[in-house]
Amino acid sequence: MSDTYQLASYPSLRGKRVFVTGGGTGIGAAIVSALAEQGALVAFVDIATEASEVLCRKLADAGLPKPVFRHCDLRDIAALQKDIAEIAEQIGDFDVLVNNAANDERHKLEDVTLEYWDNRIAINQRPSFFAVQSVVPGMKKKGGGSIINFSSISWHSSSGGFPVYTTAKSSVLGLTRGLARDLGPHKIRVNTVTPGWVMTERQIALWLDEEGKQSIKRNQCLQGELLPWHLARMVLFLASDDSLMCTAQEFIVDAGWV
């Protein structure tokens, strides 16, 4: 992150308990880091064990609250819910949930089998619901909370090449709006963050070519790279007390992709 930016601090996040899915790399790692910098106690799950452990050590070495990490394959809902329950028992009920984890593997309509469909949904859709189910009782006891679900600009922009992924990511808005109505009486707010094409290491390695660079230049109103920390800053706002009356909304961070 450039030192030229003067970014906000969120005192209300200090001491908050936060659970993040897919927090070991990419956008997730930026979210975990940003929350730790605000003094939050972060727990996260990921399948990338080595990268996750490195992140935890890096933050602890910087004098920040060391995150709690568990290896978890989100396709195993029982394991996910067990991890959430055990960590909550260890550090306290969660104030914030960030449903970040996803996998945008490319695929063609004609190649999708029922098995592949179920596998993609098990990664990109199903865990968000059951993570919410797990943290809500604790949020109710605490008198409120913030749930942040991640979607994708891909379905907004009619992007092709991964129809099961866009199906899953478009459904996030329905999950957010329905839960916002049900959980509002408990002072639990539910919002969606929708990233544009974020330049994570994975995106650069797998998908960014010269054609992609030209597409970014042509489609983004704001020129330059959209980076993981840009998304993390939106998460900080929605996790904090500053967003106290924001719920059922979609917050798009895409540099004005048109």
Side-chain angles (χ1 to χ4, degrees):
M1 188 187 307
S2 173
D3 293 333
T4 61
Y5 297 110
Q6 297 183 13
L7 303 176
S9 295
Y10 294 93
S12 64
L13 290 177
R14 183 167 297 278
K16 288 287 180 70
R17 272 57 176 167
V18 185
F19 190 87
V20 181
T21 64
T25 62
I27 297 171
I31 292 168
V32 170
S33 299
L35 286 162
E37 289 168 1
Q38 299 291 326
L41 182 52
V42 187
F44 71 96
V45 291
D46 206 301
I47 58 172
T49 299
E50 183 176 354
S52 298
E53 290 176 346
V54 168
L55 175 63
C56 290
R57 287 195 299 271
K58 176 183 175 183
L59 294 173
D61 289 346
L64 300 172
K66 185 178 182 180
V68 178
F69 163 66
R70 294 282 187 94
H71 177 276
C72 183
D73 185 333
L74 294 181
R75 292 172 294 186
D76 187 341
I77 295 299
L80 171 62
Q81 294 195 311
K82 181 173 182 287
D83 284 342
I84 292 173
E86 289 180 353
I87 296 171
E89 185 70 24
Q90 175 186 343
I91 69 172
D93 290 320
F94 293 104
D95 302 280
V96 180
L97 168 66
V98 185
N99 279 315
N100 161 75
N103 187 301
D104 62 349
E105 180 178 271
R106 272 46 173 179
H107 51 271
K108 296 180 180 179
L109 169 66
E110 58 269 25
D111 294 335
V112 174
T113 63
L114 180 58
E115 181 182 15
Y116 185 83
W117 169 276
D118 288 343
N119 183 271
R120 294 295 95 186
I121 293 297
I123 295 171
N124 292 311
Q125 184 186 64
R126 198 171 65 184
S128 294
F129 178 90
F130 287 100
V132 172
Q133 187 184 68
S134 296
V135 302
V136 159
M139 288 182 176
K140 287 180 178 179
K141 284 191 292 182
K142 299 189 85 165
S146 176
I147 295 168
I148 303 163
N149 299 318
F150 266 68
S151 183
S152 167
I153 201 64
S154 58
W155 68 271
H156 278 290
S157 59
S158 301
S159 297
F162 41 16
V164 187
Y165 176 78
T166 51
T167 298
K169 284 302 179 180
S170 66
S171 74
V172 172
L173 271 69
L175 177 67
T176 289
R177 292 184 68 82
L179 290 176
R181 176 61 63 184
D182 292 338
L183 299 178
H186 305 283
K187 297 184 179 178
I188 300 171
R189 55 197 190 277
V190 191
N191 292 288
T192 297
V193 172
T194 297
W197 194 0
V198 183
M199 293 297 102
T200 63
E201 291 182 7
R202 170 183 166 81
Q203 292 298 315
I204 293 170
L206 294 181
W207 317 121
L208 185 65
D209 53 17
E210 190 57 39
E211 182 180 347
K213 292 177 183 178
Q214 291 303 313
S215 178
I216 291 171
K217 186 175 181 179
R218 181 172 60 252
N219 288 299
Q220 285 186 182
C221 295
L222 296 172
Q223 295 302 298
E225 291 183 330
L226 182 62
L227 298 172
W229 73 266
H230 296 127
L231 278 300
R233 301 307 302 185
M234 180 60 76
V235 169
L236 292 182
F237 169 71
L238 292 173
S240 75
D241 290 352
D242 294 70
S243 62
L244 200 59
M245 293 301 284
C246 297
T247 198
Q249 303 304 309
E250 181 184 20
F251 295 83
I252 299 176
V253 184
D254 68 346
W257 192 280
V258 294

